[in-house]
Structures are given as C-alpha cells and as structure tokens.
Amino acid sequence: MNLLVPSSPFRLRALLGGGAVVFAMLASNVAHAETTAVMAVASTFTTLDSYDANDTLSQAVAKSFYQGLFGFDKDMKLVNVLAESYEASSDARVYTFRLRHGVKFQDGTDFNAAAVKANFDRVTDPANKLKRYNMFNRIEKTEVVDPYTVQITLKAPFSASVNVLAHPSAVMISPDALKKYGKDIAFHPVGTGPFEFVKWDPAGDLTVKKFAGYWKKGYPKIDAIDWKPVVDNNTRAALMRTGEADFAFQVPFEQAAQLQSSPKVDLIASPSIIQRYISLNMNQKPFGNPKVREALNYAVNKEALTKVVFGGYATPADGVVPQGVDYAVKLGPWPYDPAKARVAEGGRLPERL
C-alpha cells in the first residue's frame, strides 16, 4: 500500500555559500574562531561503514568523509564524482571506468583503480556479511586495467548498474585503512570527502573537520561539523529557535509553521523521494486476496493524513516509485472510498479498519 510522499522540510543557513547577512547569523552562533556548523538530526547513527548501513541518516552523514564514483545532484540526475567517464560493452556486461587523477584519501593514500577494486571485492564477498551485499552481488569481478582505469564485469546485464554506483553506500574507503582496521572501519572512516573524521560517540555526537587535502579546491567553506543526534522533536525544534543548532533534519511537521515564523530560521520545503507505505504479508490471510488489498487502499484517507500527520508537507503517492526518480510512472493516487472499502471478495471487512 503506497500512501504518501513527504516533503523534506528543514532549515539551512548557507554553509557553502550565501549572502553576507546569512553568514553573519551563522558566525554569531560560533563560540570559537573556527566556523563549526551544528547539525541537529533525528536519531543516532548505526554505523560509519556505508556498506553495512541500512538507515538513510547514517549513509547521509558518511558523505561528510566518503565519496563514490558517481552521485546524484539535487534533481536526482547522475553526476561524475571520482569517476570521470565510463563506457559499456556491447553486451552491457563489462563497464570500464576512467578515474579522477590527483585524489588522496584522508590518510594520504592515493585514490586509484586498486582502491576501487579493494572496495568492491570487499562488498561482493559474502563472507564479509555486509548489509549492502545484495546491492552489489551482480558484480562478477572487478579488475585493474591501469592505475586510473578499472573494469567491472557483471554476471548479467543490468540497466541500472551505474546508478547503483551512485547510491550513498557505494563509497570509496582507503584500502590502507581497510587493512589497518578491518571490521572496525565502522569506527575509523577514511575517505576522499571534504571532511575528515575526528571522533564519534555511538550514543551521541559525530565530529568531522575540514580535510586540507580535499581534491575540490576551495571547499569546504566551513571548518568543522558537529552532527548532533537530538531524538526528541521538541528539543530539536528548540535548538533551532535558540540558535544552538544551524541545521535540523527532520523538522517536526507540527512545529514547521512556528519555526517558519521565526526571523532566525529559514525553513525550506522541497519534494522528496521518500515514500511511506504499508507492507502486507500475502502469506497471511486475508492479505492474499487482492480484493482485500484493494479495500484497504480505499479505506485510507490519504488527503487527511497529509494534513493531520504531516502538516501539509506530503502528497498522496501516485505510483509505486515517487516522482523525482528516473522512469517513475504516474498511476494516480488511490481514491478514498469507504463504501468500496467495506466490501471484499468472499466476505466483508470490519466496519472500522
């Protein structure tokens, strides 16, 4: 049952650019000479090993210090990151990637084809039991062609293979760090990103600092980030109002209007590709009956949910995949119809669902 596609409301002062007034507001919250951004987020982080993370927040935070061969821009279009180009064989099984030169990991190790091979060999080895194994198990082998050319052979053609390499889990970890830390790499991340790891309390904050050897000259624009898990919605919103946090995600929907009215807070809402849904086990009666599943869809007032639960920051889902994802097909929202919801094939559903 596809229900809703929420927007992503959050406040963001310009951390990588912006007007002078915005920078003045940010600077006024900093208690020391360096510019440190405090990011209040809704939960703690499960791991700093992106290949072993299932939660979105842990993978998003890891982008502070990790990068992949590809990424997505704000419009969900594929962009080159550590790969400069690629080409596919005529049978769509062999992909050849040409890598960016002059990139260093935060431990001084060179980023090259051997590093790419080390990372994909690790995740495709079932003995490592990494949670993201199934994303990469289509890879048959990864081979070094030359120091800055790597070739990936698939077990069978897969049209989304390059997009998979843009997923937040498909990051490049220093091969030297992998050898040094082994399974403990989850506590000692070393990547090519704009910030390098400083410390992490698994029950609390994660701190990163500017990586002086970052390959993209002129970035980052701030010196450090304090990722601060603040589970309680009210507390997270209060940190924004007092200026103790520079960024909050997720913003409590019920407090969005109040935050928006504050002159100290910029609230930004944009369509997301997050889709809320209810999974039904068709091996359990009565969910094996498609008429019952249809009835359940008719029974949910999705428009009311968008207003009451999400404060208007959501829209009813109009397809299996949300708009914003390539090739998403609009099927139209399932209508709310209590009369149809009460009748199912072979009997009646309860009056109240």
Side-chain angles (χ1 to χ4, degrees):
M1 286 175 62
N2 292 320
L3 298 179
L4 303 167
V5 182
S7 299
S8 297
F10 56 92
R11 173 269 197 167
L12 176 62
R13 288 181 187 155
L15 303 180
L16 301 179
V21 174
V22 176
F23 271 106
M25 293 172 66
L26 180 63
S28 68
N29 290 333
V30 179
H32 49 284
E34 293 186 338
T35 305
T36 298
V38 178
M39 312 293 211
V41 292
S43 66
T44 54
F45 316 115
T46 60
T47 179
L48 301 184
D49 181 354
S50 298
Y51 289 105
D52 205 33
N54 270 336
D55 63 304
T56 301
L57 185 58
S58 294
Q59 291 176 100
V61 167
K63 285 295 187 178
S64 302
F65 34 80
Y66 282 138
Q67 295 174 307
L69 300 183
F70 300 92
F72 293 108
D73 65 14
K74 63 181 179 61
D75 299 314
M76 288 301 295
K77 301 303 179 186
L78 189 77
V79 293
N80 297 337
V81 183
L82 296 178
E84 292 190 327
S85 65
Y86 75 93
E87 58 187 35
S89 63
S90 57
D91 64 356
R93 285 191 58 226
V94 181
Y95 286 79
T96 303
F97 301 91
R98 288 174 177 79
L99 308 177
R100 190 177 296 279
H101 291 237
V103 176
K104 294 277 189 182
F105 286 99
Q106 291 134 8
D107 61 0
T109 305
D110 288 331
F111 166 72
N112 52 29
V116 176
K117 176 175 169 58
N119 278 275
F120 290 142
D121 283 355
R122 174 178 179 253
V123 71
T124 55
D125 183 352
N128 289 324
K129 298 180 179 179
L130 295 169
K131 292 184 177 70
R132 289 293 176 174
Y133 167 77
N134 285 335
M135 281 196 67
F136 302 94
N137 64 359
R138 296 180 181 85
I139 296 176
E140 182 177 284
K141 60 182 178 179
T142 304
E143 299 173 288
V144 173
V145 177
D146 63 43
Y148 290 97
T149 307
V150 66
Q151 201 167 74
I152 294 177
T153 302
L154 305 180
K155 297 173 183 176
F158 179 56
S159 61
S161 59
V162 176
N163 283 44
V164 168
L165 300 183
H167 189 273
S169 63
V171 299
M172 292 295 108
I173 304 173
S174 163
D176 284 5
L178 286 171
K179 291 176 185 176
K180 179 178 180 179
Y181 297 112
K183 292 182 179 180
D184 286 339
I185 194 68
F187 300 94
H188 304 278
V190 181
T192 63
F195 296 92
E196 60 181 301
F197 174 75
V198 176
K199 62 180 180 179
W200 175 42
D201 172 6
D205 292 20
L206 165 67
T207 306
V208 297
K209 67 178 182 179
K210 178 191 291 188
F211 173 36
Y214 184 46
W215 59 269
K216 194 172 183 180
K217 301 305 178 185
Y219 290 93
K221 298 293 186 181
I222 56 174
D223 297 298
I225 301 176
D226 176 10
W227 293 98
K228 182 178 293 295
V230 183
V231 177
D232 181 73
N233 281 346
N234 292 326
T235 304
R236 198 161 61 254
L239 290 177
M240 295 304 302
R241 287 193 295 270
T242 61
E244 295 173 78
D246 298 290
F247 173 100
F249 184 81
Q250 298 171 326
V251 166
F253 295 108
E254 67 277 8
Q255 299 199 33
Q258 184 179 3
L259 287 170
Q260 194 167 28
S261 67
S262 171
K264 298 180 179 180
V265 176
D266 297 323
L267 187 77
I268 302 172
S270 61
S272 78
I273 57 168
I274 300 170
Q275 188 148 303
R276 308 291 186 191
Y277 59 90
I278 297 172
S279 297
L280 303 176
N281 185 347
M282 293 190 292
N283 292 321
Q284 296 287 331
K285 292 183 178 181
F287 304 125
N289 184 339
K291 293 296 182 182
V292 172
R293 299 198 298 273
E294 287 181 6
L296 289 171
N297 267 302
Y298 283 126
V300 177
N301 187 339
K302 302 174 190 66
E303 291 288 354
L305 276 176
T306 66
K307 296 174 182 176
V308 177
V309 178
F310 292 90
Y313 290 99
T315 56
D318 55 12
V320 177
V321 177
Q323 297 301 304
V325 176
D326 280 349
Y327 310 112
V329 176
K330 282 189 177 184
L331 303 175
W334 202 286
Y336 173 56
D337 192 329
K340 288 183 179 179
R342 291 191 180 94
V343 180
E345 187 176 289
R348 288 182 172 274
L349 292 176
E351 287 295 313
R352 299 186 67 182
L353 296 172

